[in-house]
Amino acid sequence: MDVTDFPDDLVQTQAAFNATYQALAAPGPRDTTALRRRLLRLSVRLWWHPYWQTAPSVQAARCELRRLARARQAVQAA
């Protein structure tokens, strides 16, 4: 399995994590408690996703997942 063959739900969860993190880091965020709880739920889903049981190099795959999610968000924003 190639390190970039991520399941769609995993990439979507990473993208949601990134968006939630950015919303929380923005100046004057609203409802920080809800954002923090969402961030925690998403991080648990990312950490315990079944994909990591089959990944050849988990650390490299996690980095690649973050890069891929950021790249997709940049394309969607453009």
Side-chain angles (χ1 to χ4, degrees):
M1 176 180 286
D2 187 19
V3 103
T4 59
D5 292 337
F6 297 111
D8 287 333
D9 67 318
L10 184 59
V11 177
Q12 291 171 355
T13 302
Q14 182 66 54
F17 179 91
N18 293 349
T20 304
Y21 189 89
Q22 289 172 354
L24 191 58
R30 296 180 144 218
D31 204 6
T32 57
T33 301
L35 287 171
R36 288 175 189 218
R37 287 179 180 158
R38 178 168 167 75
L39 199 62
L40 182 59
R41 279 193 310 272
L42 290 169
S43 66
V44 167
R45 285 175 36 192
L46 284 169
W47 187 261
W48 295 107
H49 194 279
Y51 172 79
W52 303 122
Q53 299 299 319
T54 62
S57 172
V58 174
Q59 288 181 336
R62 287 186 194 276
C63 290
E64 182 62 22
L65 174 64
R66 286 190 294 272
R67 189 203 61 75
L68 178 65
R70 283 192 305 266
R72 284 189 184 180
Q73 285 174 320
V75 167
Q76 289 175 351

